[in-house]
Amino acid sequence: MSEMNTNQNTYPVYPGTPLRTGSSGSNVTIMQQYLNGLGVVYTAINRLAVDGRFGSATKNAVMRFQKQFSLNADGVIGQNTWNAIVAAYLAVAAYRPLDVTTKYPGVMSRGSSGDHVRFIQSYLNAIRQQYGYTWPVLNVDGIFGANTALAVAGYQSAYNLAVDGKVGRNTWASMIPEFNKVTKL
């Protein structure tokens, strides 16, 4: 592992070769540890076994990180993604998490599924926890079911939005900055 020393903080430097499915070794281990650390704040990032093997779970975690920070979501840790993971990890470690910039994917409602639903569930849980709202605690599973619809409606009611239990453009535009705000409190 190559490292750079700046202001007494040592952090990993991009190894020069992208990490992808099939990669293994200490650099993969470092990224798995960093992604797990980021998952404390950005709970839509799946928890990883830190085994130094870049498999499908690591690829999924990388893609979820990339989507939340508006990077090319290819599941490969190239230099841009490496540097973004390190920067985000250092910001979380300093209690100054970076703002997510997750792009609006279109209307999501009951029956929707995928990473953007995971993001909604993660964001709603953080907002609920910070302010003590009573909507359901959500399992961050990427399935927009009854509890997610109830939580969305609760959020919409609390933030004076049209209450329909769907995440449209206005709800999304409100939820992202609110999540970014609560991660800093």
Side-chain angles (χ1 to χ4, degrees):
M1 172 181 86
S2 55
E3 295 182 333
M4 182 186 316
N5 194 334
T6 306
N7 296 331
Q8 299 177 343
N9 292 322
T10 301
Y11 54 90
V13 175
Y14 180 65
T17 304
L19 304 177
R20 56 176 37 101
T21 302
S23 297
S24 62
S26 62
N27 287 313
V28 174
T29 300
I30 291 165
M31 287 293 103
Q32 289 170 330
Q33 291 169 335
Y34 274 45
L35 288 163
N36 280 343
L38 290 170
V40 171
V41 172
Y42 311 105
T43 61
I45 298 173
N46 50 293
R47 193 109 180 109
L48 297 170
V50 179
D51 60 7
R53 293 191 307 262
F54 198 122
S56 61
T58 301
K59 180 179 180 177
N60 288 337
V62 171
M63 289 176 68
R64 289 174 179 138
F65 172 83
Q66 291 169 325
K67 288 175 185 176
Q68 288 187 89
F69 292 94
S70 299
L71 299 168
N72 179 30
D74 59 4
V76 175
I77 303 176
Q79 186 167 7
N80 288 341
T81 296
W82 177 285
N83 291 339
I85 290 170
V86 171
Y89 180 84
L90 293 174
V92 166
Y95 302 101
R96 292 187 314 264
L98 299 179
D99 288 351
V100 297
T101 57
T102 318
K103 291 182 179 13
Y104 175 63
V107 176
M108 288 167 288
S109 59
R110 284 193 70 166
S112 297
S113 62
D115 286 343
H116 284 87
V117 175
R118 287 178 70 95
F119 303 148
I120 291 166
Q121 293 164 332
S122 171
Y123 302 161
L124 287 171
N125 282 343
I127 295 163
R128 178 192 186 283
Q129 181 178 349
Q130 181 63 43
Y131 297 124
Y133 289 119
T134 58
W135 60 69
V137 174
L138 301 173
N139 182 20
V140 181
D141 60 5
I143 300 168
F144 200 124
N147 280 343
T148 302
L150 285 171
V152 169
Y155 177 86
Q156 291 168 327
S157 177
Y159 288 85
N160 298 315
L161 298 164
V163 179
D164 62 5
K166 299 176 184 176
V167 179
R169 189 171 298 281
N170 290 339
T171 299
W172 186 265
S174 170
M175 191 179 300
I176 298 298
E178 192 60 29
F179 171 76
N180 288 330
K181 179 177 149 187
V182 302
T183 63
K184 300 201 179 24
L185 298 176

